[in-house]
Amino acid sequence: MSKSYIIDTTKSAAAKLVPLPVANVSFAPESFWAGYREGNRTISIPKLFELFEEKGILDNFRRLTGQKKCERRGPLFTDSDIYKWMEAAAFALTDQDDPDIRRQLETAITVILPAQCDDGYLNTFFTKPEERFTNPDAHEMYCAGHYFQAAIAIDRCLGDDRVLNSAIRFADYLYNRFGPDKKEVWACGHPEIEMALVELYRTTDDKKYLDFSRHILDQLNADASWKTAWSEDCTVKFTERTELWGHAVRNLYMACGGSDLWAETDDPQIAQAVNRLWQNLVNRRIYITGGVGSRYRHEAIGLDYELPNLLAYTETCAAIANVMWNYRNLHITADARFADWLERSLYNGVISGISLDYQHYFYVNPLASFGDHQRQKWFDTTCCPSNLQRLLAMLPGYFYSTDNEGVWVHLYDTGTAGITLKNGDQLTLTQQTKYPYDGLIVMTINTDKPETFNLNLRIPSWADSCDIKINGQAVGNSATPGQYFSINRTWTNGDRVELTLPMPLKFIACHSHVTDNFHRVAMMRGPLVYCIEDVDNKNLKSVHEVGIKNDFSILASQAVIIPTAKFDFTTLAVKSPAFEFQSEDALYRPVTKLEVKHRPTQIIAIPYYIWANRGRSEMTIWLPVIE
Ligand SMILES: [Zn+2]
């Protein structure tokens, strides 16, 4: 059986679920995600590597070994970008060989390995030993963590331990210098290594890496001496924190490390901290798109209910980190709440970060735009493209898990999963669906002999109800949205499960403390958040001058779902009645009673992840409501 796990919880003390390896799951060509994975493999990954060569990112390593005489280029943390790319390449090669990516990966490995110092240290920015670990914001452990994760991925997916052996030497250097019983203390200003060290422990069975991870987590923000520009002066250690505050990606990576330590140690203090922080995030600080980060300053999560739309920062990496965090928590608890937020981020705030031509990216993902926000091929800080690439490469691994009693289905798309049951028997489960655009999912069990196990189906919280049939017979009247529905039976070959999740257009209101969204609603259908873009609404003066009537059940019934094939694959637009405001010229004007003049019109809304693919465009998600 393949070991291509995203996280390997097979021996984790507190984890209820074990993910299915990435190689065990495949998407059919007509599925929603097949295009993304194919685009990732054939366009995004090879093109980013070419850009790494063009921008000198690999030359930074060649420079260290004397292969090339050149200046170091890129920000001090840019080693991590090639490491994330290597992780993406390894996972992309699990289900389909690709000579170009294999060649590029081999180039990266053969350039990087000789650049490692004799003592195990590896970083292209710090070339003199005395310069190492003098600046907490220099991302040395962050880069190291990404190196470890690339190494683990290459070992797990390709059975090649060359990079893993190098990563172990580097980890040992760090442990011998900063480990739990050492004199020197160091915690990197950008968390990442915490989760990498837990995964290294899972890979090597060497418990010192687990202890080291815990030791570093305990140092984060532990006292005033740890302050960095990004910590927002937080001096509360992880186990005592009540809120996620400061740099979004750093906080969420820290939380991922916390969850990994929870999975391995079952430490109640860590478990409580993870749950507190998660509650704080999803109840007060996350965007409807599953994006995180309300401030450009320090790329930070803001205060409770501080969720501006135009100035939303919501770095693509932060939405990805939210997927990673919820995935970890889901495997510990088997609680569908985590799968709900994983899905929300994935279908909205994550894939808004990549264009439909698979080679332009958003670093920042606002929830409204005056048309000035566009995707780019390259960023000097190119964390988001490589992060998207590794997520899409490992995406099949997000769909299913197993436990001792059976199979868990978290996400829905057309494809096949190869599953090994607890008794060692193997079967396949196929899905057929047009999800996320249609809520009918047909699953078929293919097994050589009858097998008794639980099939746990996730019923998303956005579904008001669901309908489940087995071989045409209705079951599951007790299925509750926001939970898993467990079907225990003896399954025989060809058994067919039909899950129907109604997907009416829904209008979503926001807590009134979010001032940008006061008396506004957003539209959702299934897991997708919708937006209005001016390219589809030429009848309007501006998408920012449109509102809808406060009668949402009638509006929902009048809305028409329009299948379109504009974007190379079928998507859906929603046509709905609305009102266009007649705006005043003056920026400010005296009034005795505020009256808004408006005329009836129609709007076309599209899924948020599709916006900004057709040139400069205004966009909005939250629509004002007219009484
Ligand atoms: Zn990023």
Side-chain angles (χ1 to χ4, degrees), residues 180 222 226 278 423 470 592:
W226 187 77
W278 188 85
N423 62 11
I470 300 176
T592 51

Side-chain angles (χ1 to χ4, degrees), residues 76-146:
L76 55 79
F77 42 75
T78 199
D79 295 358
S80 65
D81 299 322
I82 185 75
Y83 300 153
K84 267 189 288 185
W85 178 92
M86 290 162 77
E87 196 181 351
F91 277 106
L93 290 168
T94 52
D95 55 348
Q96 195 163 2
D97 195 26
D98 187 304
D100 288 341
I101 294 181
R102 200 171 272 279
R103 183 178 42 76
Q104 290 177 330
L105 180 60
E106 187 58 29
T107 301
I109 292 171
T110 50
V111 166
I112 291 168
L113 286 181
Q116 184 169 26
C117 298
D118 290 343
D119 61 8
Y121 182 82
L122 176 61
N123 189 300
T124 65
F125 191 81
F126 296 100
T127 51
K128 296 185 186 129
E130 64 273 20
E131 290 174 341
R132 300 173 188 169
F133 302 102
T134 51
N135 173 7
D137 236 352
H139 292 64
E140 283 158 287
M141 282 188 174
Y142 168 81
C143 290
H146 277 306

Side-chain angles (χ1 to χ4, degrees), residues 47-86:
K47 286 222 177 291
L48 187 60
F49 187 85
E50 288 166 15
L51 283 164
F52 284 146
E53 287 289 35
E54 188 187 317
K55 306 288 181 183
I57 308 306
L58 276 162
D59 283 347
N60 291 339
F61 293 91
R62 294 186 181 104
R63 174 175 162 263
L64 293 184
T65 52
Q67 274 182 281
K68 195 140 186 177
K69 286 202 170 7
C70 55
E71 289 295 308
R72 189 189 178 280
R73 292 166 71 188
L76 55 79
F77 42 75
T78 199
D79 295 358
S80 65
D81 299 322
I82 185 75
Y83 300 153
K84 267 189 288 185
W85 178 92
M86 290 162 77

Side-chain angles (χ1 to χ4, degrees), residues 206-413:
D206 191 337
K207 191 169 172 294
K208 77 178 178 205
Y209 301 125
L210 183 69
D211 298 339
F212 191 20
S213 174
R214 176 62 197 256
H215 182 62
I216 294 172
L217 188 81
D218 284 341
Q219 306 307 318
L220 292 178
N221 300 74
D223 60 56
S225 68
W226 187 77
K227 278 182 192 172
T228 71
W230 303 93
S231 66
E232 298 277 351
D233 294 344
C234 176
T235 52
V236 183
K237 63 190 271 188
F238 182 80
T239 47
E240 289 159 17
R241 290 186 73 171
T242 56
E243 56 183 6
L244 288 172
W245 166 249
H247 191 277
V249 177
R250 298 181 194 214
N251 270 274
L252 287 168
Y253 279 10
M254 171 188 69
C256 286
S259 292
D260 283 336
L261 282 160
W262 173 16
E264 295 307 323
T265 64
D266 208 8
D267 181 321
Q269 273 196 315
I270 293 186
Q272 286 159 15
V274 168
N275 279 298
R276 269 198 313 272
L277 295 173
W278 188 85
Q279 290 287 351
N280 172 244
L281 183 74
V282 303
N283 290 318
R284 296 172 180 208
R285 296 185 180 190
I286 195 166
Y287 282 94
I288 190 170
T289 55
V292 184
S294 330
R295 295 181 180 179
Y296 274 67
R297 183 179 180 271
H298 293 173
E299 307 183 315
I301 301 168
L303 300 169
D304 287 351
Y305 307 116
E306 181 186 334
L307 295 165
N309 292 322
L310 271 168
L311 291 176
Y313 196 73
T314 49
E315 181 180 341
T316 304
C317 283
I320 292 170
N322 193 51
V323 168
M324 291 161 53
W325 189 29
N326 280 290
Y327 182 70
R328 283 160 168 75
N329 296 339
L330 174 64
H331 281 83
I332 299 166
T333 62
D335 187 331
R337 291 177 307 163
F338 298 117
D340 275 333
W341 277 104
L342 186 166
E343 181 182 72
R344 176 80 69 106
S345 292
L346 179 63
Y347 282 93
N348 301 287
V350 168
I351 50 170
S352 61
I354 185 165
S355 63
L356 299 179
D357 67 6
Y358 307 115
Q359 48 186 314
H360 293 82
Y361 302 90
F362 274 157
Y363 190 106
V364 170
N365 294 269
L367 279 76
S369 171
F370 285 143
D372 54 341
H373 195 70
Q374 282 197 302
R375 298 170 197 280
Q376 298 176 40
K377 271 196 173 175
W378 174 259
F379 304 88
D380 275 342
T381 298
T382 201
C383 52
C384 299
S386 51
N387 222 350
L388 268 163
Q389 288 174 16
R390 67 179 184 146
L391 177 73
L392 291 171
M394 60 178 77
L395 191 65
Y398 278 91
F399 273 64
Y400 301 89
S401 304
T402 56
D403 65 2
N404 286 343
E405 279 77 47
V407 181
W408 295 69
V409 189
H410 310 303
L411 296 169
Y412 298 110
D413 200 3

Side-chain angles (χ1 to χ4, degrees), residues 568-580:
D568 288 341
F569 57 92
T570 302
T571 183
L572 290 178
V574 174
K575 196 173 185 179
S576 190
F579 292 96
E580 186 174 26

Side-chain angles (χ1 to χ4, degrees), residues 561-591:
I561 309 295
I562 320 162
T564 66
K566 280 183 197 167
F567 313 110
D568 288 341
F569 57 92
T570 302
T571 183
L572 290 178
V574 174
K575 196 173 185 179
S576 190
F579 292 96
E580 186 174 26
F581 306 136
Q582 288 163 296
S583 56
E584 308 291 336
D585 286 341
L587 183 58
Y588 306 107
R589 64 185 195 280
V591 290

